[in-house]
Amino acid sequence: MARFRRRTCIILLLFILFICSIMMALKTLRPDRAGFGDPFGLGLLPELQQQTVLLDNKQNSLNRVQGDTVTRVSNLHSIAVNTMKASMPPVNKLEEELPSPNYNFHIFYYSWFGNPQFDGKYIHWNHPLLPHWDPKIANNYPKGRHNPPEDIGANFYPELGSYSSKDPSVIEAHMKQMRSASTGVIVLSWYPPGMADENGEPTDDLVPVILDYAHKYNLKVTFHIEPYKDRDDRSMYHNVKYIIDKYGGHPAFYRHKTSTGRFLPMFYVYDSYVTIPEIWANLLTVSGSQTIRNTPYDALFIALLVEERHKHDIHRSGFDGMYTYFATNGFSYGSSHHNWASLKAFCDSNNLMFIPSVGPGYIDTSIRPWNNHNTRNRVNGKYYETAFSAALLVRPEIISITSFNEWHEGTQIEKAVPKRTGQVVYLDYKPHKPNVYLELTQKWSEKYRKEQEQWLM
C-alpha cells in the first residue's frame, strides 16, 4: 500500500512538472511588444538607445511599406478616378496621430532662411561673423561669412539641411514638428512689408502660406514684431491695422480670451525698451493721442523685459504684459529663473500678464565667436527641463519657448543631426534622437495642463 502511494505521488509530481513546462513554453511565444507600451522617455536613456533604434528601424520599414502601398493606390485612383474615392480626410488622420495642441504654449518661429533652389541664394545660413564692439577684442577673432551648405551660421545642423523658409515641404515639416511637441501658438517673427533684418529679405508674403499650414495642423499664429527702423506709436498703429485687416479673418489667426471674456489678438514686441514709455503710451493708453484702445484694432501687447527697471516702464507704457525671451539663465534680470517669482508678483499686482520664456540652451559662437561666456550647455535636456520647472513654479497663464528654429543662437528645438565637414564639427543631440526636444516639450506641455487644472480648482 505504501509503495502504491509513493508511485501515485511520483506520477502526480511528474504530471505537474509536465504542465508547468508546457505553460513556460507557451509564455516564451508571447509577442515582444505585448502588454503595455513603452513608458515615455525610454528612448532618452543612453543604455536603451540601441534597443530603441532597432525598434524604430522596424517601424520605419513598416512605414515605408505602407507609404509604397499608398502611392500605388494613389496611382490607381488617377487611372480610375470615376470609380474610386479617397476614404480618409487628412485632417482627421492628423488629429488621431498627433497630441492635442496646447494654446498656452507659445513658440518663437523664424521664416527668414533661404537657399538657391527657392530664393536664388542662401539667406541667413551664410550669416556674417559679427565683430565685437571693442576693436582690441575684435582683432582676436575671425571675420567673414559662412559658406553654406556645409558651413552654416549655426553650431548645430538641421535635419532638413540648409532649407528655405519658402519650401512648402519645409513649412509642413515644421508645423508637424511643432504640433508633435504639443505647442499651440506660433509666434512668427515679423517685419512690415518690404522690410527685413539686416541679413535677410522681406518675409511678409509668406504669412498666408504659414497660416494655411498652421490651420491644417490646428495651430494658431500670432506675431513677434521686430524692431524695424523708425518704429514708433504711429507706425505700430498702422502695422497692427495692416495685420488684423489682412490676416485677422484667417481661422489660424490667434486670439486670446481675456479675464473679461473678450477675444483679442496678441502681439509680442521685441526690444520694446528701445522706445520710451511716453511714445508707447500714445498708442497703448486710453487717453493716448494715437490710442488703439477700444477700437477694432485693440489687442494684447506684450513687452520684452530685460532689466528690472523695465517692469515700471512697461506698466507706464500701457502694455498688457511682459515676456523674457532669452534662453540664457543669468544673462539678464528677466531671463534669470530666480527672478520670475517677483516679476509674476509685480504683474499680478498691476493686472499684467507674465510670460516666462524657456529654452533648451544657448550658443551663438558661430556668429559671435567672442561670446563664449554666454553659452548655456543643454546638459542632454536637463537645462530645458530645469527652465520648465522654474516656469511652472510661478503658475503663468502662458509659457513661451525660445525657440523652434533660431539656429544662429542655438536655442532651437527643431530636429538636428550630427554632421562633420572638413573644417567644422557641429554639435548634436546625442546620445538622444533628433526629436528629443520636441518630446521633452510635449512632456512638459502635458505636465503644465495637469498642474493648471489644479491651479484653477
Side-chain angles (χ1 to χ4, degrees):
M1 179 64 73
R3 204 180 304 127
F4 176 79
R5 287 176 180 170
R6 282 198 300 273
R7 185 183 303 166
T8 303
C9 289
I10 291 169
I11 292 171
L12 183 61
L13 180 62
L14 290 173
F15 180 76
I16 291 171
L17 289 172
F18 175 73
I19 295 298
C20 289
S21 64
I22 291 175
M23 290 178 66
M24 290 298 293
L26 290 173
K27 190 173 182 180
T28 61
L29 297 176
R30 184 172 64 95
D32 293 339
R33 306 283 289 186
F36 296 102
D38 294 336
F40 174 85
L42 284 184
L44 307 186
L45 299 175
E47 61 269 25
L48 295 175
Q49 184 71 9
Q50 185 175 2
Q51 180 181 352
T52 305
V53 169
L54 289 173
L55 292 172
D56 286 346
N57 287 341
K58 290 179 183 177
Q59 185 61 44
N60 289 338
S61 299
L62 177 60
N63 289 342
R64 283 195 293 272
V65 173
Q66 291 173 338
D68 293 342
T69 304
V70 172
T71 303
R72 287 194 291 272
V73 171
S74 179
N75 292 336
L76 288 173
H77 174 73
S78 300
I79 297 169
V81 68
N82 293 325
T83 59
M84 291 182 64
K85 288 187 177 181
S87 60
M88 186 178 293
V91 174
N92 290 343
K93 188 175 181 181
L94 289 174
E95 292 303 312
E96 292 173 3
E97 293 176 349
L98 297 170
S100 59
N102 184 346
Y103 297 117
N104 293 321
F105 263 37
H106 295 191
I107 187 164
F108 296 107
Y109 181 73
Y110 295 87
S111 60
W112 57 23
F113 297 104
N115 63 23
Q117 181 183 356
F118 286 87
D119 307 88
K121 59 182 178 180
Y122 285 106
I123 304 172
H124 264 276
W125 298 118
N126 62 343
H127 202 289
L129 297 167
L130 302 175
H132 194 277
W133 52 86
D134 184 339
K136 293 180 181 178
I137 297 176
N139 289 334
N140 296 323
Y141 292 94
K143 301 175 177 63
R145 301 185 76 94
H146 287 279
N147 186 27
E150 299 298 306
D151 170 28
I152 64 172
N155 292 81
F156 294 84
Y157 202 86
E159 184 181 66
L160 296 174
S162 48
Y163 56 75
S164 169
S165 296
K166 292 181 180 177
D167 184 345
S169 67
V170 167
I171 298 174
E172 175 137 26
H174 284 173
M175 298 300 152
K176 187 172 184 179
Q177 287 186 39
M178 285 187 275
R179 175 63 189 274
S180 73
S182 197
T183 61
V185 178
I186 299 163
V187 187
L188 177 63
S189 172
W190 186 84
Y191 285 86
M195 303 184 77
D197 70 282
E198 59 186 4
N199 296 296
E201 301 283 341
T203 59
D204 180 63
D205 288 346
L206 266 180
V207 175
V209 183
I210 292 171
L211 285 165
D212 287 344
Y213 276 102
H215 181 55
K216 177 179 178 180
Y217 286 86
N218 206 14
L219 299 169
K220 303 297 181 184
V221 178
T222 190
F223 293 80
H224 196 192
I225 299 180
E226 300 283 2
Y228 56 85
K229 185 180 178 182
D230 299 326
R231 186 180 68 182
D232 61 12
D233 51 343
R234 294 175 184 271
S235 64
M236 276 289 291
Y237 187 100
H238 292 301
N239 294 159
V240 171
K241 183 179 185 300
Y242 169 84
I243 290 172
I244 293 176
D245 284 346
K246 187 166 185 178
Y247 307 124
H250 197 285
F253 186 83
Y254 177 65
R255 283 181 167 81
H256 183 79
K257 185 178 181 180
T258 68
S259 58
T260 60
R262 300 174 69 193
F263 286 87
L264 293 176
M266 178 179 283
F267 298 100
Y268 289 80
V269 185
Y270 190 71
D271 277 0
S272 51
Y273 59 86
V274 173
T275 303
I276 60 173
E278 289 74 18
I279 297 295
W280 285 124
N282 289 337
L283 177 73
L284 302 177
T285 61
V286 176
S287 59
S289 59
Q290 298 288 325
T291 187
I292 206 164
R293 300 304 187 189
N294 301 320
T295 74
Y297 305 106
D298 201 355
L300 298 172
F301 294 87
I302 311 299
L304 174 63
L305 182 134
V306 179
E307 301 176 20
E308 183 178 12
R309 64 182 176 86
H310 290 160
K311 66 185 182 183
H312 300 292
D313 293 341
I314 288 168
H315 186 228
R316 283 199 299 131
S317 298
F319 281 99
D320 300 283
M322 59 184 72
Y323 72 115
T324 60
Y325 186 75
F326 298 106
T328 44
N329 184 25
F331 168 69
S332 69
Y333 182 88
S335 69
S336 299
H337 301 165
H338 67 268
N339 293 324
W340 288 353
S342 62
L343 286 171
K344 178 64 160 58
F346 176 85
C347 288
D348 287 347
S349 62
N350 290 282
N351 197 30
L352 297 171
M353 297 178 70
F354 177 61
I355 304 177
S357 302
V358 305
Y362 185 94
I363 182 167
D364 66 356
T365 53
S366 68
I367 62 168
R368 300 182 186 97
W370 39 266
N371 199 32
N372 238 326
H373 59 285
N374 280 319
T375 295
R376 299 294 184 272
N377 194 297
R378 295 187 173 220
V379 202
N380 292 329
K382 291 184 177 65
Y383 182 90
Y384 196 31
E385 297 207 77
T386 299
F388 270 119
S389 181
L392 261 63
L393 283 175
V394 302
R395 300 185 173 186
E397 186 177 350
I398 291 170
I399 293 176
S400 56
I401 298 166
T402 308
S403 63
F404 178 75
N405 65 338
E406 220 299 8
W407 288 93
H408 303 312
E409 296 182 344
T411 63
Q412 80 289 335
I413 67 168
E414 183 183 353
K415 294 180 182 181
V417 292
K419 187 174 177 66
R420 178 190 296 265
T421 68
Q423 298 177 335
V424 183
V425 179
Y426 290 93
L427 300 175
D428 55 57
Y429 301 161
K430 284 188 172 181
H432 307 316
K433 297 176 291 184
N435 67 339
V436 58
Y437 291 98
L438 302 174
E439 289 185 345
L440 287 175
T441 306
Q442 196 263 333
K443 168 189 169 182
W444 281 91
S445 178
E446 293 305 314
K447 185 175 177 63
Y448 173 85
R449 272 192 239 260
K450 292 175 182 176
E451 293 203 10
Q452 191 179 43
E453 289 175 2
Q454 296 178 350
W455 305 340
L456 299 175
M457 288 177 64

